[in-house]
Amino acid sequence: MKKIILPAIILLVFSACQKELEFMAVPVTPVISTPPPAPPVIDNFTKYTIQAGQHYADKNFTVATSYSELKFIAKFDSSAVYATTDPNNQGDINKLYGFSDNNSLHHQFSARFGWRWSNNALRLFGYIYNNGVRDTKELGTVAIGAENTCAIKVTPDKYIFTLNGMRDSMPRTAPTLRAEGYKLYPYFGGDETAPHKIAVFIREL
């Protein structure tokens, strides 16, 4: 009897193993999904938006800086064309981009680019504070939609502003070797807030 049972058990085990091997040998068809669409082309500009009735742009973060030179590209769209409520404020300079200096508040020591729409042109400026005294200088006009290469170089006694290859300088009295402070972002005003939503595009170099 034992001789009959043992071959039967072996046959059952062999059959079970054979079925498992057959199951494992069944080829698995891979699931082929449609590849995701290519991501949109990003031009690496950060868009800063100043809402109507506001001074400050979004993305206005406190970032510590230490600059020997700040370089960036700036461009404006048609929202840079505006009229102030009081015509006397049309000459006020809005702020574009820059930094505070001398480990001080920016109304004490700072350098940045400014901008305004006046006399049917978009004008860029050097805009600085030395020991609480403000000074400005027009650097040139730029076109709506154009990419403008900007730089502020720090020396012991001056800030050298470069706009699209044209250089000009303004005095610097901060004693630090580098401009030590924090980043300054787009800001509308002057006395008035933005009359409508304004967009400014900046890419640091």
PDB file of all heavy atoms in Angstrom, residues 92-128:
ATOM      1  N   ASP A  92       7.237 111.006 -10.405  1.00  0.00           N
ATOM      2  CA  ASP A  92       7.766 110.157  -9.332  1.00  0.00           C
ATOM      3  C   ASP A  92       8.424 108.915  -9.928  1.00  0.00           C
ATOM      4  O   ASP A  92       7.980 108.394 -10.954  1.00  0.00           O
ATOM      5  CB  ASP A  92       6.656 109.726  -8.381  1.00  0.00           C
ATOM      6  CG  ASP A  92       6.133 110.877  -7.541  1.00  0.00           C
ATOM      7  OD1 ASP A  92       6.717 111.979  -7.604  1.00  0.00           O
ATOM      8  OD2 ASP A  92       5.122 110.683  -6.845  1.00  0.00           O
ATOM      9  N   ILE A  93       9.460 108.427  -9.281  1.00  0.00           N
ATOM     10  CA  ILE A  93      10.205 107.269  -9.778  1.00  0.00           C
ATOM     11  C   ILE A  93       9.782 106.015  -9.013  1.00  0.00           C
ATOM     12  O   ILE A  93       9.864 105.969  -7.778  1.00  0.00           O
ATOM     13  CB  ILE A  93      11.721 107.491  -9.648  1.00  0.00           C
ATOM     14  CG1 ILE A  93      12.143 108.711 -10.475  1.00  0.00           C
ATOM     15  CG2 ILE A  93      12.490 106.252 -10.102  1.00  0.00           C
ATOM     16  CD1 ILE A  93      13.605 109.105 -10.296  1.00  0.00           C
ATOM     17  N   ASN A  94       9.328 105.018  -9.758  1.00  0.00           N
ATOM     18  CA  ASN A  94       9.032 103.712  -9.172  1.00  0.00           C
ATOM     19  C   ASN A  94      10.333 102.932  -9.027  1.00  0.00           C
ATOM     20  O   ASN A  94      11.332 103.230  -9.685  1.00  0.00           O
ATOM     21  CB  ASN A  94       8.065 102.946 -10.074  1.00  0.00           C
ATOM     22  CG  ASN A  94       6.869 103.789 -10.454  1.00  0.00           C
ATOM     23  OD1 ASN A  94       6.155 104.287  -9.596  1.00  0.00           O
ATOM     24  ND2 ASN A  94       6.665 103.975 -11.752  1.00  0.00           N
ATOM     25  N   LYS A  95      10.317 101.898  -8.195  1.00  0.00           N
ATOM     26  CA  LYS A  95      11.527 101.133  -7.950  1.00  0.00           C
ATOM     27  C   LYS A  95      11.495  99.819  -8.722  1.00  0.00           C
ATOM     28  O   LYS A  95      10.464  99.159  -8.798  1.00  0.00           O
ATOM     29  CB  LYS A  95      11.711 100.856  -6.458  1.00  0.00           C
ATOM     30  CG  LYS A  95      12.094 102.109  -5.651  1.00  0.00           C
ATOM     31  CD  LYS A  95      10.952 103.087  -5.558  1.00  0.00           C
ATOM     32  CE  LYS A  95      11.322 104.314  -4.724  1.00  0.00           C
ATOM     33  NZ  LYS A  95      10.198 105.284  -4.686  1.00  0.00           N
ATOM     34  N   LEU A  96      12.644  99.452  -9.259  1.00  0.00           N
ATOM     35  CA  LEU A  96      12.740  98.237 -10.077  1.00  0.00           C
ATOM     36  C   LEU A  96      13.405  97.101  -9.316  1.00  0.00           C
ATOM     37  O   LEU A  96      12.763  96.104  -8.983  1.00  0.00           O
ATOM     38  CB  LEU A  96      13.491  98.543 -11.369  1.00  0.00           C
ATOM     39  CG  LEU A  96      13.718  97.373 -12.333  1.00  0.00           C
ATOM     40  CD1 LEU A  96      12.413  96.708 -12.719  1.00  0.00           C
ATOM     41  CD2 LEU A  96      14.477  97.845 -13.573  1.00  0.00           C
ATOM     42  N   TYR A  97      14.706  97.229  -8.994  1.00  0.00           N
ATOM     43  CA  TYR A  97      15.445  96.109  -8.406  1.00  0.00           C
ATOM     44  C   TYR A  97      16.774  96.635  -7.883  1.00  0.00           C
ATOM     45  O   TYR A  97      17.380  97.526  -8.479  1.00  0.00           O
ATOM     46  CB  TYR A  97      15.697  95.048  -9.468  1.00  0.00           C
ATOM     47  CG  TYR A  97      15.798  93.624  -8.976  1.00  0.00           C
ATOM     48  CD1 TYR A  97      14.771  93.018  -8.271  1.00  0.00           C
ATOM     49  CD2 TYR A  97      16.920  92.853  -9.259  1.00  0.00           C
ATOM     50  CE1 TYR A  97      14.839  91.700  -7.861  1.00  0.00           C
ATOM     51  CE2 TYR A  97      17.003  91.519  -8.859  1.00  0.00           C
ATOM     52  CZ  TYR A  97      15.958  90.954  -8.157  1.00  0.00           C
ATOM     53  OH  TYR A  97      16.027  89.637  -7.756  1.00  0.00           O
ATOM     54  N   GLY A  98      17.225  96.081  -6.752  1.00  0.00           N
ATOM     55  CA  GLY A  98      18.518  96.497  -6.212  1.00  0.00           C
ATOM     56  C   GLY A  98      18.744  95.926  -4.835  1.00  0.00           C
ATOM     57  O   GLY A  98      18.256  94.842  -4.504  1.00  0.00           O
ATOM     58  N   PHE A  99      19.439  96.680  -3.984  1.00  0.00           N
ATOM     59  CA  PHE A  99      19.836  96.160  -2.676  1.00  0.00           C
ATOM     60  C   PHE A  99      20.080  97.301  -1.698  1.00  0.00           C
ATOM     61  O   PHE A  99      20.409  98.436  -2.089  1.00  0.00           O
ATOM     62  CB  PHE A  99      21.113  95.322  -2.798  1.00  0.00           C
ATOM     63  CG  PHE A  99      22.213  95.998  -3.590  1.00  0.00           C
ATOM     64  CD1 PHE A  99      23.055  96.944  -3.014  1.00  0.00           C
ATOM     65  CD2 PHE A  99      22.392  95.697  -4.937  1.00  0.00           C
ATOM     66  CE1 PHE A  99      24.056  97.565  -3.742  1.00  0.00           C
ATOM     67  CE2 PHE A  99      23.389  96.317  -5.684  1.00  0.00           C
ATOM     68  CZ  PHE A  99      24.223  97.251  -5.081  1.00  0.00           C
ATOM     69  N   SER A 100      19.922  96.990  -0.416  1.00  0.00           N
ATOM     70  CA  SER A 100      20.354  97.922   0.619  1.00  0.00           C
ATOM     71  C   SER A 100      21.853  97.715   0.845  1.00  0.00           C
ATOM     72  O   SER A 100      22.444  96.731   0.380  1.00  0.00           O
ATOM     73  CB  SER A 100      19.560  97.717   1.909  1.00  0.00           C
ATOM     74  OG  SER A 100      19.904  96.482   2.516  1.00  0.00           O
ATOM     75  N   ASP A 101      22.463  98.640   1.548  1.00  0.00           N
ATOM     76  CA  ASP A 101      23.919  98.631   1.699  1.00  0.00           C
ATOM     77  C   ASP A 101      24.287  98.963   3.143  1.00  0.00           C
ATOM     78  O   ASP A 101      23.454  99.432   3.926  1.00  0.00           O
ATOM     79  CB  ASP A 101      24.523  99.665   0.736  1.00  0.00           C
ATOM     80  CG  ASP A 101      26.004  99.446   0.468  1.00  0.00           C
ATOM     81  OD1 ASP A 101      26.615  98.546   1.104  1.00  0.00           O
ATOM     82  OD2 ASP A 101      26.570 100.171  -0.366  1.00  0.00           O
ATOM     83  N   ASN A 102      25.543  98.674   3.481  1.00  0.00           N
ATOM     84  CA  ASN A 102      26.118  99.063   4.774  1.00  0.00           C
ATOM     85  C   ASN A 102      25.380  98.439   5.958  1.00  0.00           C
ATOM     86  O   ASN A 102      25.365  98.990   7.052  1.00  0.00           O
ATOM     87  CB  ASN A 102      26.109 100.600   4.913  1.00  0.00           C
ATOM     88  CG  ASN A 102      27.066 101.099   5.973  1.00  0.00           C
ATOM     89  OD1 ASN A 102      28.176 100.592   6.099  1.00  0.00           O
ATOM     90  ND2 ASN A 102      26.634 102.087   6.754  1.00  0.00           N
ATOM     91  N   ASN A 103      24.735  97.263   5.723  1.00  0.00           N
ATOM     92  CA  ASN A 103      23.959  96.596   6.773  1.00  0.00           C
ATOM     93  C   ASN A 103      22.943  97.549   7.399  1.00  0.00           C
ATOM     94  O   ASN A 103      22.702  97.522   8.616  1.00  0.00           O
ATOM     95  CB  ASN A 103      24.896  96.033   7.850  1.00  0.00           C
ATOM     96  CG  ASN A 103      25.715  94.874   7.330  1.00  0.00           C
ATOM     97  OD1 ASN A 103      25.173  93.913   6.801  1.00  0.00           O
ATOM     98  ND2 ASN A 103      27.029  94.964   7.466  1.00  0.00           N
ATOM     99  N   SER A 104      22.321  98.370   6.571  1.00  0.00           N
ATOM    100  CA  SER A 104      21.391  99.394   7.037  1.00  0.00           C
ATOM    101  C   SER A 104      20.061  99.275   6.311  1.00  0.00           C
ATOM    102  O   SER A 104      19.936  98.552   5.318  1.00  0.00           O
ATOM    103  CB  SER A 104      21.969 100.795   6.788  1.00  0.00           C
ATOM    104  OG  SER A 104      23.218 100.966   7.413  1.00  0.00           O
ATOM    105  N   LEU A 105      19.065  99.991   6.784  1.00  0.00           N
ATOM    106  CA  LEU A 105      17.803 100.080   6.082  1.00  0.00           C
ATOM    107  C   LEU A 105      18.012 100.813   4.765  1.00  0.00           C
ATOM    108  O   LEU A 105      18.897 101.675   4.648  1.00  0.00           O
ATOM    109  CB  LEU A 105      16.770 100.815   6.939  1.00  0.00           C
ATOM    110  CG  LEU A 105      16.370 100.116   8.249  1.00  0.00           C
ATOM    111  CD1 LEU A 105      15.410 101.005   9.045  1.00  0.00           C
ATOM    112  CD2 LEU A 105      15.732  98.769   7.971  1.00  0.00           C
ATOM    113  N   HIS A 106      17.176 100.498   3.763  1.00  0.00           N
ATOM    114  CA  HIS A 106      17.435 101.036   2.425  1.00  0.00           C
ATOM    115  C   HIS A 106      17.231 102.539   2.321  1.00  0.00           C
ATOM    116  O   HIS A 106      17.776 103.165   1.411  1.00  0.00           O
ATOM    117  CB  HIS A 106      16.594 100.307   1.372  1.00  0.00           C
ATOM    118  CG  HIS A 106      15.123 100.359   1.595  1.00  0.00           C
ATOM    119  ND1 HIS A 106      14.456  99.488   2.413  1.00  0.00           N
ATOM    120  CD2 HIS A 106      14.170 101.178   1.082  1.00  0.00           C
ATOM    121  CE1 HIS A 106      13.166  99.750   2.405  1.00  0.00           C
ATOM    122  NE2 HIS A 106      12.959 100.788   1.597  1.00  0.00           N
ATOM    123  N   HIS A 107      16.482 103.149   3.251  1.00  0.00           N
ATOM    124  CA  HIS A 107      16.357 104.606   3.224  1.00  0.00           C
ATOM    125  C   HIS A 107      17.578 105.286   3.841  1.00  0.00           C
ATOM    126  O   HIS A 107      17.651 106.524   3.862  1.00  0.00           O
ATOM    127  CB  HIS A 107      15.081 105.053   3.936  1.00  0.00           C
ATOM    128  CG  HIS A 107      13.844 104.824   3.119  1.00  0.00           C
ATOM    129  ND1 HIS A 107      12.592 104.688   3.682  1.00  0.00           N
ATOM    130  CD2 HIS A 107      13.667 104.693   1.780  1.00  0.00           C
ATOM    131  CE1 HIS A 107      11.696 104.491   2.724  1.00  0.00           C
ATOM    132  NE2 HIS A 107      12.327 104.485   1.566  1.00  0.00           N
ATOM    133  N   GLN A 108      18.518 104.479   4.297  1.00  0.00           N
ATOM    134  CA  GLN A 108      19.791 105.007   4.777  1.00  0.00           C
ATOM    135  C   GLN A 108      20.889 104.801   3.729  1.00  0.00           C
ATOM    136  O   GLN A 108      21.563 105.749   3.337  1.00  0.00           O
ATOM    137  CB  GLN A 108      20.180 104.336   6.103  1.00  0.00           C
ATOM    138  CG  GLN A 108      19.351 104.806   7.286  1.00  0.00           C
ATOM    139  CD  GLN A 108      19.546 106.289   7.568  1.00  0.00           C
ATOM    140  OE1 GLN A 108      20.673 106.766   7.691  1.00  0.00           O
ATOM    141  NE2 GLN A 108      18.452 107.017   7.663  1.00  0.00           N
ATOM    142  N   PHE A 109      21.058 103.550   3.307  1.00  0.00           N
ATOM    143  CA  PHE A 109      22.065 103.225   2.292  1.00  0.00           C
ATOM    144  C   PHE A 109      21.476 102.187   1.335  1.00  0.00           C
ATOM    145  O   PHE A 109      21.038 101.111   1.777  1.00  0.00           O
ATOM    146  CB  PHE A 109      23.338 102.658   2.926  1.00  0.00           C
ATOM    147  CG  PHE A 109      24.122 103.641   3.743  1.00  0.00           C
ATOM    148  CD1 PHE A 109      23.887 103.780   5.102  1.00  0.00           C
ATOM    149  CD2 PHE A 109      25.105 104.424   3.150  1.00  0.00           C
ATOM    150  CE1 PHE A 109      24.610 104.679   5.865  1.00  0.00           C
ATOM    151  CE2 PHE A 109      25.828 105.330   3.903  1.00  0.00           C
ATOM    152  CZ  PHE A 109      25.584 105.470   5.269  1.00  0.00           C
ATOM    153  N   SER A 110      21.476 102.463   0.051  1.00  0.00           N
ATOM    154  CA  SER A 110      20.979 101.496  -0.929  1.00  0.00           C
ATOM    155  C   SER A 110      21.286 101.956  -2.343  1.00  0.00           C
ATOM    156  O   SER A 110      21.625 103.121  -2.581  1.00  0.00           O
ATOM    157  CB  SER A 110      19.460 101.297  -0.778  1.00  0.00           C
ATOM    158  OG  SER A 110      18.769 102.516  -0.987  1.00  0.00           O
ATOM    159  N   ALA A 111      21.164 101.007  -3.261  1.00  0.00           N
ATOM    160  CA  ALA A 111      21.311 101.305  -4.692  1.00  0.00           C
ATOM    161  C   ALA A 111      20.354 100.398  -5.451  1.00  0.00           C
ATOM    162  O   ALA A 111      20.288  99.197  -5.191  1.00  0.00           O
ATOM    163  CB  ALA A 111      22.745 101.074  -5.153  1.00  0.00           C
ATOM    164  N   ARG A 112      19.631 100.962  -6.396  1.00  0.00           N
ATOM    165  CA  ARG A 112      18.719 100.174  -7.223  1.00  0.00           C
ATOM    166  C   ARG A 112      18.382 100.948  -8.495  1.00  0.00           C
ATOM    167  O   ARG A 112      18.663 102.136  -8.616  1.00  0.00           O
ATOM    168  CB  ARG A 112      17.441  99.806  -6.468  1.00  0.00           C
ATOM    169  CG  ARG A 112      16.721 100.960  -5.821  1.00  0.00           C
ATOM    170  CD  ARG A 112      15.556 100.478  -4.972  1.00  0.00           C
ATOM    171  NE  ARG A 112      15.219 101.415  -3.923  1.00  0.00           N
ATOM    172  CZ  ARG A 112      14.162 101.316  -3.127  1.00  0.00           C
ATOM    173  NH1 ARG A 112      13.334 100.300  -3.256  1.00  0.00           N
ATOM    174  NH2 ARG A 112      13.926 102.199  -2.191  1.00  0.00           N
ATOM    175  N   PHE A 113      17.802 100.227  -9.415  1.00  0.00           N
ATOM    176  CA  PHE A 113      17.258 100.860 -10.605  1.00  0.00           C
ATOM    177  C   PHE A 113      15.842 101.342 -10.289  1.00  0.00           C
ATOM    178  O   PHE A 113      15.100 100.686  -9.551  1.00  0.00           O
ATOM    179  CB  PHE A 113      17.209  99.874 -11.778  1.00  0.00           C
ATOM    180  CG  PHE A 113      18.498  99.749 -12.525  1.00  0.00           C
ATOM    181  CD1 PHE A 113      19.535  98.969 -12.032  1.00  0.00           C
ATOM    182  CD2 PHE A 113      18.692 100.409 -13.739  1.00  0.00           C
ATOM    183  CE1 PHE A 113      20.726  98.844 -12.720  1.00  0.00           C
ATOM    184  CE2 PHE A 113      19.873 100.290 -14.446  1.00  0.00           C
ATOM    185  CZ  PHE A 113      20.900  99.511 -13.934  1.00  0.00           C
ATOM    186  N   GLY A 114      15.485 102.469 -10.875  1.00  0.00           N
ATOM    187  CA  GLY A 114      14.125 102.959 -10.798  1.00  0.00           C
ATOM    188  C   GLY A 114      13.557 103.085 -12.207  1.00  0.00           C
ATOM    189  O   GLY A 114      14.291 102.964 -13.192  1.00  0.00           O
ATOM    190  N   TRP A 115      12.251 103.321 -12.295  1.00  0.00           N
ATOM    191  CA  TRP A 115      11.632 103.460 -13.608  1.00  0.00           C
ATOM    192  C   TRP A 115      10.374 104.311 -13.509  1.00  0.00           C
ATOM    193  O   TRP A 115       9.783 104.469 -12.434  1.00  0.00           O
ATOM    194  CB  TRP A 115      11.272 102.085 -14.178  1.00  0.00           C
ATOM    195  CG  TRP A 115      10.152 101.377 -13.460  1.00  0.00           C
ATOM    196  CD1 TRP A 115      10.243 100.651 -12.297  1.00  0.00           C
ATOM    197  CD2 TRP A 115       8.765 101.368 -13.827  1.00  0.00           C
ATOM    198  NE1 TRP A 115       9.012 100.178 -11.933  1.00  0.00           N
ATOM    199  CE2 TRP A 115       8.077 100.595 -12.845  1.00  0.00           C
ATOM    200  CE3 TRP A 115       8.037 101.909 -14.885  1.00  0.00           C
ATOM    201  CZ2 TRP A 115       6.711 100.362 -12.894  1.00  0.00           C
ATOM    202  CZ3 TRP A 115       6.671 101.684 -14.938  1.00  0.00           C
ATOM    203  CH2 TRP A 115       6.025 100.919 -13.958  1.00  0.00           C
ATOM    204  N   ARG A 116       9.968 104.874 -14.617  1.00  0.00           N
ATOM    205  CA  ARG A 116       8.693 105.571 -14.694  1.00  0.00           C
ATOM    206  C   ARG A 116       8.276 105.715 -16.151  1.00  0.00           C
ATOM    207  O   ARG A 116       9.104 105.627 -17.062  1.00  0.00           O
ATOM    208  CB  ARG A 116       8.754 106.944 -14.031  1.00  0.00           C
ATOM    209  CG  ARG A 116       9.459 108.018 -14.839  1.00  0.00           C
ATOM    210  CD  ARG A 116       9.345 109.384 -14.186  1.00  0.00           C
ATOM    211  NE  ARG A 116      10.062 110.396 -14.956  1.00  0.00           N
ATOM    212  CZ  ARG A 116      10.815 111.353 -14.435  1.00  0.00           C
ATOM    213  NH1 ARG A 116      10.963 111.439 -13.117  1.00  0.00           N
ATOM    214  NH2 ARG A 116      11.425 112.223 -15.213  1.00  0.00           N
ATOM    215  N   TRP A 117       6.980 105.925 -16.350  1.00  0.00           N
ATOM    216  CA  TRP A 117       6.462 106.267 -17.672  1.00  0.00           C
ATOM    217  C   TRP A 117       6.178 107.763 -17.676  1.00  0.00           C
ATOM    218  O   TRP A 117       5.352 108.251 -16.896  1.00  0.00           O
ATOM    219  CB  TRP A 117       5.187 105.488 -17.973  1.00  0.00           C
ATOM    220  CG  TRP A 117       4.606 105.850 -19.316  1.00  0.00           C
ATOM    221  CD1 TRP A 117       3.615 106.761 -19.571  1.00  0.00           C
ATOM    222  CD2 TRP A 117       5.007 105.332 -20.581  1.00  0.00           C
ATOM    223  NE1 TRP A 117       3.374 106.843 -20.915  1.00  0.00           N
ATOM    224  CE2 TRP A 117       4.210 105.971 -21.561  1.00  0.00           C
ATOM    225  CE3 TRP A 117       5.945 104.387 -20.986  1.00  0.00           C
ATOM    226  CZ2 TRP A 117       4.325 105.701 -22.918  1.00  0.00           C
ATOM    227  CZ3 TRP A 117       6.063 104.110 -22.340  1.00  0.00           C
ATOM    228  CH2 TRP A 117       5.265 104.761 -23.294  1.00  0.00           C
ATOM    229  N   SER A 118       6.884 108.514 -18.506  1.00  0.00           N
ATOM    230  CA  SER A 118       6.663 109.953 -18.590  1.00  0.00           C
ATOM    231  C   SER A 118       7.079 110.446 -19.963  1.00  0.00           C
ATOM    232  O   SER A 118       8.001 109.894 -20.589  1.00  0.00           O
ATOM    233  CB  SER A 118       7.437 110.703 -17.503  1.00  0.00           C
ATOM    234  OG  SER A 118       8.826 110.484 -17.616  1.00  0.00           O
ATOM    235  N   ASN A 119       6.387 111.481 -20.442  1.00  0.00           N
ATOM    236  CA  ASN A 119       6.664 112.042 -21.764  1.00  0.00           C
ATOM    237  C   ASN A 119       6.684 110.955 -22.841  1.00  0.00           C
ATOM    238  O   ASN A 119       7.569 110.916 -23.700  1.00  0.00           O
ATOM    239  CB  ASN A 119       7.971 112.829 -21.763  1.00  0.00           C
ATOM    240  CG  ASN A 119       7.927 114.017 -20.804  1.00  0.00           C
ATOM    241  OD1 ASN A 119       6.905 114.691 -20.685  1.00  0.00           O
ATOM    242  ND2 ASN A 119       9.024 114.242 -20.099  1.00  0.00           N
ATOM    243  N   ASN A 120       5.698 110.042 -22.746  1.00  0.00           N
ATOM    244  CA  ASN A 120       5.524 108.976 -23.738  1.00  0.00           C
ATOM    245  C   ASN A 120       6.743 108.065 -23.879  1.00  0.00           C
ATOM    246  O   ASN A 120       7.036 107.562 -24.966  1.00  0.00           O
ATOM    247  CB  ASN A 120       5.162 109.571 -25.109  1.00  0.00           C
ATOM    248  CG  ASN A 120       3.817 110.264 -25.098  1.00  0.00           C
ATOM    249  OD1 ASN A 120       2.845 109.719 -24.579  1.00  0.00           O
ATOM    250  ND2 ASN A 120       3.748 111.467 -25.646  1.00  0.00           N
ATOM    251  N   ALA A 121       7.429 107.831 -22.788  1.00  0.00           N
ATOM    252  CA  ALA A 121       8.602 106.947 -22.829  1.00  0.00           C
ATOM    253  C   ALA A 121       8.766 106.247 -21.489  1.00  0.00           C
ATOM    254  O   ALA A 121       8.402 106.780 -20.431  1.00  0.00           O
ATOM    255  CB  ALA A 121       9.857 107.732 -23.171  1.00  0.00           C
ATOM    256  N   LEU A 122       9.311 105.036 -21.551  1.00  0.00           N
ATOM    257  CA  LEU A 122       9.655 104.276 -20.354  1.00  0.00           C
ATOM    258  C   LEU A 122      11.112 104.578 -20.018  1.00  0.00           C
ATOM    259  O   LEU A 122      12.014 104.259 -20.798  1.00  0.00           O
ATOM    260  CB  LEU A 122       9.449 102.779 -20.607  1.00  0.00           C
ATOM    261  CG  LEU A 122       9.740 101.820 -19.462  1.00  0.00           C
ATOM    262  CD1 LEU A 122       8.954 102.188 -18.204  1.00  0.00           C
ATOM    263  CD2 LEU A 122       9.425 100.393 -19.876  1.00  0.00           C
ATOM    264  N   ARG A 123      11.328 105.193 -18.864  1.00  0.00           N
ATOM    265  CA  ARG A 123      12.653 105.699 -18.484  1.00  0.00           C
ATOM    266  C   ARG A 123      13.185 104.930 -17.279  1.00  0.00           C
ATOM    267  O   ARG A 123      12.447 104.689 -16.317  1.00  0.00           O
ATOM    268  CB  ARG A 123      12.562 107.199 -18.158  1.00  0.00           C
ATOM    269  CG  ARG A 123      11.976 108.010 -19.299  1.00  0.00           C
ATOM    270  CD  ARG A 123      11.705 109.469 -18.924  1.00  0.00           C
ATOM    271  NE  ARG A 123      11.004 110.119 -20.031  1.00  0.00           N
ATOM    272  CZ  ARG A 123      11.612 110.647 -21.086  1.00  0.00           C
ATOM    273  NH1 ARG A 123      12.947 110.634 -21.154  1.00  0.00           N
ATOM    274  NH2 ARG A 123      10.909 111.203 -22.057  1.00  0.00           N
ATOM    275  N   LEU A 124      14.481 104.586 -17.326  1.00  0.00           N
ATOM    276  CA  LEU A 124      15.144 103.907 -16.210  1.00  0.00           C
ATOM    277  C   LEU A 124      16.137 104.852 -15.556  1.00  0.00           C
ATOM    278  O   LEU A 124      16.750 105.695 -16.227  1.00  0.00           O
ATOM    279  CB  LEU A 124      15.846 102.634 -16.689  1.00  0.00           C
ATOM    280  CG  LEU A 124      15.018 101.339 -16.558  1.00  0.00           C
ATOM    281  CD1 LEU A 124      13.719 101.434 -17.337  1.00  0.00           C
ATOM    282  CD2 LEU A 124      15.805 100.131 -16.995  1.00  0.00           C
ATOM    283  N   PHE A 125      16.295 104.675 -14.238  1.00  0.00           N
ATOM    284  CA  PHE A 125      17.098 105.579 -13.429  1.00  0.00           C
ATOM    285  C   PHE A 125      18.031 104.811 -12.505  1.00  0.00           C
ATOM    286  O   PHE A 125      17.751 103.666 -12.121  1.00  0.00           O
ATOM    287  CB  PHE A 125      16.191 106.454 -12.542  1.00  0.00           C
ATOM    288  CG  PHE A 125      15.271 107.372 -13.294  1.00  0.00           C
ATOM    289  CD1 PHE A 125      14.086 106.897 -13.833  1.00  0.00           C
ATOM    290  CD2 PHE A 125      15.592 108.715 -13.461  1.00  0.00           C
ATOM    291  CE1 PHE A 125      13.228 107.741 -14.526  1.00  0.00           C
ATOM    292  CE2 PHE A 125      14.743 109.565 -14.153  1.00  0.00           C
ATOM    293  CZ  PHE A 125      13.558 109.085 -14.686  1.00  0.00           C
ATOM    294  N   GLY A 126      19.109 105.473 -12.109  1.00  0.00           N
ATOM    295  CA  GLY A 126      19.852 105.062 -10.931  1.00  0.00           C
ATOM    296  C   GLY A 126      19.188 105.727  -9.737  1.00  0.00           C
ATOM    297  O   GLY A 126      18.809 106.912  -9.815  1.00  0.00           O
ATOM    298  N   TYR A 127      19.032 104.981  -8.641  1.00  0.00           N
ATOM    299  CA  TYR A 127      18.263 105.483  -7.488  1.00  0.00           C
ATOM    300  C   TYR A 127      19.003 105.034  -6.235  1.00  0.00           C
ATOM    301  O   TYR A 127      19.070 103.844  -5.935  1.00  0.00           O
ATOM    302  CB  TYR A 127      16.854 104.909  -7.547  1.00  0.00           C
ATOM    303  CG  TYR A 127      15.845 105.494  -6.597  1.00  0.00           C
ATOM    304  CD1 TYR A 127      14.887 106.397  -7.036  1.00  0.00           C
ATOM    305  CD2 TYR A 127      15.812 105.108  -5.257  1.00  0.00           C
ATOM    306  CE1 TYR A 127      13.925 106.925  -6.181  1.00  0.00           C
ATOM    307  CE2 TYR A 127      14.869 105.628  -4.383  1.00  0.00           C
ATOM    308  CZ  TYR A 127      13.929 106.537  -4.851  1.00  0.00           C
ATOM    309  OH  TYR A 127      12.984 107.061  -3.996  1.00  0.00           O
ATOM    310  N   ILE A 128      19.568 105.978  -5.484  1.00  0.00           N
ATOM    311  CA  ILE A 128      20.434 105.610  -4.362  1.00  0.00           C
ATOM    312  C   ILE A 128      20.102 106.418  -3.105  1.00  0.00           C
ATOM    313  O   ILE A 128      19.477 107.480  -3.175  1.00  0.00           O
ATOM    314  CB  ILE A 128      21.928 105.819  -4.704  1.00  0.00           C
ATOM    315  CG1 ILE A 128      22.233 107.312  -4.895  1.00  0.00           C
ATOM    316  CG2 ILE A 128      22.325 105.014  -5.942  1.00  0.00           C
ATOM    317  CD1 ILE A 128      23.713 107.631  -5.000  1.00  0.00           C
TER     318      ILE A 128
END
